[in-house]
Amino acid sequence: MPSSIDRKAADLLLSVIETPDAVISGSVLDGYYGRVAPALKAAGILQPKDHSRAAVSLVDHEDEPVNLTWSSEHRAYGYFSPSAGWVNVPGDQLATYRVNFNTLLEQLLERLDLSPRTGPVELVPDHLWEVGDARLPGRSKRTSVWIGRRLCEPGIWKSFIDTARKRPAPGLRIVLSFTPGNRLPTDVHLGHTLIAVRDVADHNGHAVVPDLLAARVAAGSQLNDDLITMAADGASLTVRGTRHAFSGSKQRAIIRQLYDAWKSGHPELLTAEVLESAGYSTSVNTLAKAFSGRAEWRDFIREENGRCWLFL
C-alpha cells in the first residue's frame, strides 16, 4: 500500500466507489481534491475513462458546473463567462476518472492471508466479488470473504441475497462492504456477517487490518439494538449482554434455527423438526438431550409440549 494514500484520500475514494458508476470528473477531482488526487492517480486506483462535456467553472462561481462546447477558434473545449469571456478548460479536467477495481481490491486485501491468490471473481457485475478464503488471527479455519459496494441500494441488495442463497456460506462468510455501516441493511442472510471497510481499514490508508477484522468477526455484526444477537457462524449467541458459546456443529444448527425464527417474528418451532434439521438421530428427541451437560441453555431457550423458542 503506497504510504501516500492517507485517510483523506481513502475517504474520497470510498465516496467515489459508492457512486453508481464509480466515477468522478477530472474537474471535480482536481478542483476540489487537488491535494489527494495525485496519490490516487499514482497508485493506479483512479484511471482516466473518457472525456466529460461539463466542468466546474474556473471563474465566476467556482462551485457551479458549466456545460462545455468546442471552439474551433481556440481549438479547445471551454465555455463563455460573462466576466472573463471565453475560458479554455485544460484537457486533464475533461477526463472522467473511474475506480480500477482490480487494483483497488489488490491493495485493499494485501495484508490478508488469502487462498487462493488467483484474483477476485465477479459474482454481481461491478458490485460483488468473491476474493478467496482468509486465515484470520485467532481462528483455526479459513473464512470465505466477499466484498461489495452500494449494498444499501435495494436492487443490489437483492442481487447479493440471491447470490448468497445460491452459494451458501460454508459456516461463516465475511462480506466486506464499501457502504458505511450505518447504511447497511440489518436483515443479513444467515451465515454472513457484513463489515464496513471503513471500520477495519488502516487509519493511514485503506488496507484491511487482519487483527481488526478478526476482532470484528469475534464480536459479531450487531447492526441494531436487538437484545438477542448471533455471530454469523452460529458459534455464539448474546442474550441481554451475556455471550453463550457453542462448539458443536449440531448445537449451532439448533441456535441458528431458533434465532432465525425469533428474528422473523414467529419464534415457536416444533422441537422434532429442529432436531432433525440439525442432524440428530431419533434417539435425541428433546433439547435437554441435545444440550446435555449444559444447563445455561435454559436461560434463553424454552421447550414445552413439543415446541421450542428463544425468549428474553
Side-chain angles (χ1 to χ4, degrees):
M1 173 62 54
S3 59
S4 56
I5 304 294
D6 61 15
R7 189 64 181 181
K8 288 186 177 180
D11 286 344
L12 169 61
L13 178 60
L14 287 171
S15 298
V16 177
I17 291 169
E18 286 294 288
T19 63
D21 297 318
V23 299
I24 185 172
S25 71
S27 60
V28 172
L29 182 63
D30 294 330
Y32 290 99
Y33 304 100
R35 189 184 69 78
V36 299
L40 295 174
K41 293 177 184 178
I45 302 171
L46 290 181
Q47 295 186 338
K49 177 179 178 288
D50 52 28
H51 285 79
S52 173
R53 294 295 177 264
V56 175
S57 176
L58 303 179
V59 295
D60 306 319
H61 304 289
E62 294 185 354
D63 59 345
E64 294 184 2
V66 291
N67 293 321
L68 306 180
T69 58
W70 173 259
S71 169
S72 56
E73 177 184 352
H74 297 89
R75 301 187 62 80
Y77 280 99
Y79 60 94
F80 182 81
S81 163
S83 62
W86 178 261
V87 179
N88 286 337
V89 175
D92 60 349
Q93 293 198 17
L94 295 175
T96 297
Y97 289 84
R98 189 179 193 278
V99 175
N100 182 326
F101 282 103
N102 286 334
T103 299
L104 169 67
L105 296 181
E106 180 181 351
Q107 295 183 10
L108 184 81
L109 304 168
E110 67 177 5
R111 300 187 192 178
L112 293 184
D113 178 2
L114 283 171
S115 176
R117 277 282 188 181
T118 56
V121 176
E122 197 173 50
L123 300 175
V124 175
D126 212 30
H127 288 92
L128 182 68
W129 297 264
E130 182 176 34
V131 298
D133 298 332
R135 188 183 301 281
L136 298 178
R139 298 183 67 89
S140 59
K141 294 182 179 180
R142 289 187 176 271
T143 305
S144 172
V145 179
W146 289 2
I147 187 163
R149 73 182 190 97
R150 293 179 60 78
L151 295 180
C152 58
E153 296 297 323
I156 299 169
W157 179 255
K158 183 179 183 302
S159 296
F160 160 65
I161 292 296
D162 290 344
T163 304
R165 285 173 177 157
K166 293 175 183 176
R167 301 171 66 88
L172 170 66
R173 175 175 290 137
I174 298 170
V175 182
L176 293 170
S177 169
F178 289 114
T179 307
N182 60 0
R183 295 175 56 200
L184 290 172
T186 58
D187 56 334
V188 181
H189 191 59
L190 195 63
H192 295 70
T193 182
L194 264 66
I195 298 174
V197 167
R198 188 186 300 270
D199 294 338
V200 292
D202 191 327
H203 283 303
N204 297 315
H206 62 283
V208 171
V209 180
D211 287 331
L212 278 178
L213 182 58
R216 285 298 303 270
V217 171
S221 58
Q222 185 172 348
L223 299 177
N224 49 41
D225 296 325
D226 286 345
L227 296 178
I228 302 178
T229 58
M230 184 186 71
D233 58 357
S236 67
L237 194 73
T238 301
V239 183
R240 296 186 295 269
T242 301
R243 181 175 177 271
H244 305 274
F246 303 92
S247 57
S249 60
K250 293 181 180 180
Q251 290 183 357
R252 292 185 184 186
I254 292 174
I255 294 301
R256 280 191 176 193
Q257 293 178 72
L258 294 175
Y259 179 76
D260 197 34
W262 181 79
K263 287 285 288 182
S264 74
H266 303 282
E268 290 194 21
L269 298 175
L270 291 173
T271 301
E273 291 183 358
V274 170
L275 293 171
E276 181 180 358
S277 296
Y280 285 93
S281 65
T282 54
S283 62
V284 179
N285 53 16
T286 66
L287 294 189
K289 289 184 178 180
F291 289 103
S292 178
R294 298 195 58 178
E296 72 273 17
W297 69 273
R298 297 182 184 277
D299 293 339
F300 52 91
I301 300 176
R302 184 155 294 165
E303 181 181 24
E304 294 178 358
N305 301 321
R307 306 183 74 83
C308 56
W309 62 93
L310 293 179
F311 74 96
L312 288 171

